[in-house]
Amino acid sequence: MPAATGARRESRPVHGLLLLDKPAGLTSNRALQVAKRLLGARKAGHTGSLDPAATGMLPLCFGEATKVCSYLLDADKCYRVVARLGQSTDTGDADGCVTANAGVPAITAADWRQIFARFEGEIEQVPPMYSALKHEGKRLYELARRGEVVEREARRVRISALALIEYRGSRLAFRVCCSKGTYVRTLVEDLAAAAGTIGHTLSLRRESVAGFEGEDMVSLETLERLAAGEGPGALEALLLPIDRALAHWPARTLDSAESDRFEQGQAVPADAGETGGRLFRAYREDGRLLGIGQATGDGRLAPKRLFRLAG
C-alpha cells in the first residue's frame, strides 16, 4: 500500500474523474482518501465499493464530478473472475475459512457455456451474509462474524453477459457484466451448484464501469510517483472531464439566453416531441458543460444537476 506520510497539503477545488486501479488489500474508502490527499482535493467520492481483496476499476469523483457519482453507481460493471471449484468458504472468497470440500464433476467448456446461458438475463440472488447490507440496524457481516445467520430476501439482478475464459481442473475463469447490486461471490457459488459442486471466488478484478475501459486506469503507485516528483498539478492532467461519465446521453447546446436561465435553475424549451424523463447533457455555445437537464414532457428541459465550473 502506498505510504500516507508527508506534509499535509492545503485542499483546493479539483474537478474531474479518476479511474483508479485499486490494489488488493485496500478498502475503497482508503484508496479514495490516499488519492484525495495526493491531489489536494477539497471534495471527493467514489462510485461503488470494491471488496478489499478485489482489484481494478474504482472511478473516483472530485469536486463537481461528485454530482455524477450516483449515475456511475447505477451503471453496469464488468469483472474478470477466477473461481476455485470443489471448496467453499464462509465469506465466499479466498479471505474466508474453508467450510467444505467436494468433488468436481467432469465438465466440458461446452457444458459451462450451457450453464452460463441459464444465468444470463434477470435472475434472483440471495445476498451473502458477509455483506454490508443491514438487518435490524446491524451490518450482515457483523452478524456473520458472530456466527449468526439470518434470512435474506432474494434480490433481482441482471447478468448481461457471461463468457468463459478458462476451465482447468478446479480452476474456473470467466468474465461477467452485470447490474448494480450483483454479488459476484454469490454468482460463483450458484454457478458451482449448477455444475454439481461447491466453489468460492479466488480473485476478482473489475475491468470496466459504465463504458469506461481499463486503458484509462491509473495505479496508486503512479499517483504517488507523480505527486512526489512533479506535484499535484501533474495528477490533475490525469483527470477525465465530467461529461465522460455521461457520454451515452444525448447532448443539447443552449444559446446564451437559455444558458443563463438554465444556470439560474429555470427550465428552457425542449425539442419538439421530446420524451418526458429523458436526461441530457447541457452545454453553453462555447462547449462548457452546464449540467444535467431532464425533459419534463410538456415541452421544457429542466435543470436536474448544475456544474459550477469556471468559464
Side-chain angles (χ1 to χ4, degrees):
M1 183 184 110
T5 59
R8 181 180 178 87
R9 295 188 177 97
E10 184 178 349
S11 64
R12 60 204 175 92
V14 174
H15 309 292
L17 303 164
L18 181 72
L19 302 182
L20 182 70
D21 188 349
K22 189 190 85 65
L26 205 63
T27 66
S28 295
N29 187 61
R30 177 59 178 155
L32 170 67
Q33 296 307 320
V34 172
K36 180 183 177 184
R37 174 184 60 81
L38 293 172
L39 270 162
R42 189 168 296 160
K43 185 178 182 182
H46 65 70
T47 59
S49 296
L50 280 170
D51 290 341
T55 67
M57 187 176 293
L58 181 66
L60 305 181
C61 301
F62 297 96
E64 290 295 281
T66 57
K67 295 175 180 178
V68 303
C69 278
S70 61
Y71 301 106
L72 289 173
L73 182 63
D74 291 339
D76 281 7
K77 302 167 180 68
C78 296
Y79 301 86
R80 188 186 191 280
V81 188
V82 178
R84 162 76 186 274
L85 301 176
Q87 189 177 79
S88 61
T89 70
D90 54 0
T91 60
D93 60 20
D95 286 343
C97 298
V98 175
T99 55
N101 289 281
V104 180
I107 303 174
T108 66
D111 293 332
W112 276 117
R113 293 187 182 97
Q114 289 183 353
I115 292 171
F116 285 172
R118 289 158 50 187
F119 284 82
E120 291 179 340
E122 289 196 349
I123 63 171
E124 296 282 336
Q125 245 194 10
V126 177
M129 278 300 301
Y130 277 88
S131 67
L133 298 177
K134 288 188 175 182
H135 174 77
E136 297 181 351
K138 295 287 187 180
R139 298 286 186 186
L140 288 180
Y141 63 74
E142 295 174 348
L143 302 177
R145 287 170 182 165
R146 298 204 299 257
E148 298 181 35
V149 177
V150 298
E151 290 292 324
R152 286 96 65 204
E153 186 177 347
R155 295 182 166 197
R156 200 152 189 82
V157 297
R158 187 184 69 259
I159 307 297
S160 53
L162 264 171
L164 181 68
I165 297 174
E166 177 189 22
Y167 174 57
R168 186 191 314 150
S170 63
R171 176 186 170 90
L172 172 69
F174 62 93
R175 190 170 192 260
V176 58
C177 296
C178 51
S179 66
K180 170 191 174 183
T182 303
Y183 285 94
V184 177
R185 286 173 290 144
T186 299
L187 177 64
V188 165
E189 293 173 337
D190 292 345
L191 287 170
T197 185
I198 56 179
H200 69 272
T201 301
L202 276 181
S203 67
L204 179 68
R205 179 168 180 79
R206 191 152 68 192
E207 297 184 326
S208 68
V209 176
F212 288 118
E213 299 297 336
E215 61 269 14
D216 289 324
M217 282 196 289
V218 182
S219 68
L220 276 179
E221 287 77 9
T222 297
L223 296 181
E224 289 275 12
R225 177 175 50 79
L226 288 174
E230 303 178 42
L235 275 64
E236 279 194 70
L238 301 173
L239 297 181
L240 303 175
I242 296 172
D243 52 358
R244 276 285 300 274
L246 314 173
H248 55 294
W249 293 357
R252 169 78 186 275
T253 299
L254 308 181
D255 63 30
S256 179
E258 289 173 332
S259 296
D260 290 343
R261 288 173 56 194
F262 192 86
E263 284 193 303
Q264 293 168 13
Q266 301 174 24
V268 298
D271 293 334
E274 191 54 67
T275 304
R278 194 177 189 189
L279 297 174
F280 290 80
R281 292 170 286 141
Y283 295 88
R284 276 191 175 274
E285 290 177 316
D286 62 5
R288 178 164 64 88
L289 179 66
L290 290 171
I292 296 170
Q294 185 171 34
T296 62
D298 60 358
R300 297 181 302 150
L301 184 67
K304 187 173 177 66
R305 291 283 188 278
L306 293 174
F307 299 113
R308 304 301 184 184
L309 302 170

